[in-house]
């Protein structure tokens, strides 16, 4: 860790510590710690992962409720048998919660956790899209299925919500990867008092 002291004309001491491994700059001004993150983390926070995380949470709750409804009525569908409407929903809610926490806390570790869970969420959403497409195709191929329109509406609605979940997870993963993998840029800004 590199440490440097700068004395200003008004006797205030500014200590700057730069950590190249963490890629964060920690600035102490008159004994108070002020953390400045690298430019990539600033870009991640500008992308509003909190708003995207809230959308992920709402999608997770909606898919869960539709899955419960479909399970109670038609338990022989692939999406019901696989349980993806349940465990997939919990993964979506977890990914959204970590995105919200990363925005609220501005913690690089939460950004890394959000990256990991959103990658897993994107894989889960991709698998869910595939299973829902198979269920829709099987339902359309068998027109004699009782209450076919209810099944089509339920699975179709879940599919409409799962596709944006897939896209949002990929976007947050890309932003978080860019923020956490960028180890060569450190931005340090120091403000000095211009008083008497």
């Amino acid at each position: 860790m590199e440490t440097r002291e700068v004395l200003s004309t008004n006797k205030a001491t500014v200590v700057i510590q730069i950590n190249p491994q963490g890629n964060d700059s920690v600035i102490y001004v008159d004994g108070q710690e002020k953390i400045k993150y690298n430019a990539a983390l600033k870009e991640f926070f500008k992308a509003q992962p909190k708003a995207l995380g809230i959308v992920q949470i709402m999608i997770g709750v909606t898919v869960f409720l539709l899955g419960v409804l479909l399970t109670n009525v038609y338990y022989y569908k692939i999406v019901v048998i696989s349980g993806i409407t349940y465990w997939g929903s919990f993964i979506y809610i977890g990914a959204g919660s970590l995105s919200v926490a990363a925005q609220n806390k501005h913690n690089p570790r939460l950004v890394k956790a959000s990256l990991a869970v959103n990658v897993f969420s994107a894989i889960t959403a991709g698998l869910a899209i595939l299973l829902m497409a198979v269920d829709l195709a099987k339902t359309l191929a068998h027109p004699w299925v009782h209450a076919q329109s209810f099944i089509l509406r339920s699975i179709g609605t879940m599919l409409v919500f799962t596709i944006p979940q897939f896209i949002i997870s990929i976007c947050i993963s890309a932003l978080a990867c860019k923020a956490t993998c960028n180890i060569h840029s450190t931005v340090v800004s120091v403000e000095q008092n211009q008083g008497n």
Side-chain angles (χ1 to χ4, degrees):
M1 182 167 301
E2 178 182 325
T3 302
R4 184 175 54 171
E5 288 187 21
V6 178
L7 295 175
S8 66
T9 58
N10 62 0
K11 307 289 184 188
T13 302
V14 177
V15 179
I16 304 169
Q17 295 179 334
I18 301 173
N19 183 358
Q21 284 85 17
N23 202 22
D24 296 336
S25 303
V26 181
I27 302 172
Y28 295 91
V29 179
D30 293 330
Q32 295 182 353
E33 180 179 328
K34 297 183 180 183
I35 298 176
K36 304 288 183 188
Y37 297 105
N38 65 11
L41 280 177
K42 287 181 183 178
E43 287 179 27
F44 177 76
F45 296 136
K46 280 183 187 177
Q48 296 297 321
K50 183 177 183 177
L52 295 173
I54 290 171
V55 171
Q56 286 180 305
I57 293 169
M58 292 184 339
I59 289 172
V61 170
T62 304
V63 169
F64 178 80
L65 294 175
L66 286 169
V68 168
L69 182 66
L70 198 61
T71 301
N72 288 331
V73 179
Y74 298 99
Y75 57 90
Y76 58 88
K77 290 297 180 188
I78 294 173
V79 293
V80 174
I81 294 169
S82 68
I84 200 156
T85 57
Y86 298 116
W87 57 268
S89 298
F90 293 129
I91 292 170
Y92 304 156
I93 292 169
S97 299
L98 280 171
S99 297
V100 170
Q103 176 76 38
N104 287 342
K105 302 288 184 184
H106 286 201
N107 188 335
R109 289 183 183 142
L110 283 174
V111 174
K112 289 179 183 179
S114 176
L115 167 64
V117 176
N118 272 294
V119 166
F120 194 56
S121 174
I123 293 168
T124 303
L127 180 63
I129 290 169
L130 180 66
L131 293 176
M132 289 175 196
V134 169
D135 259 350
L136 284 174
K138 287 177 79 175
T139 303
L140 288 173
H142 299 94
W144 60 86
V145 174
H146 179 64
Q148 179 184 14
S149 64
F150 176 77
I151 296 171
L152 289 174
R153 287 184 199 145
S154 299
I155 295 175
T157 304
M158 283 192 289
L159 185 62
V160 165
F161 282 109
T162 305
I163 291 171
Q165 171 65 32
F166 180 70
I167 294 168
I168 290 170
S169 293
I170 289 174
C171 290
I172 291 177
S173 298
L175 290 169
C177 183
K178 184 178 178 185
T180 58
C181 296
N182 188 3
I183 61 171
H184 297 294
S185 66
T186 301
V187 177
V188 178
S189 63
V190 178
E191 297 178 14
Q192 295 180 355
N193 294 334
Q194 299 295 329
N196 293 339

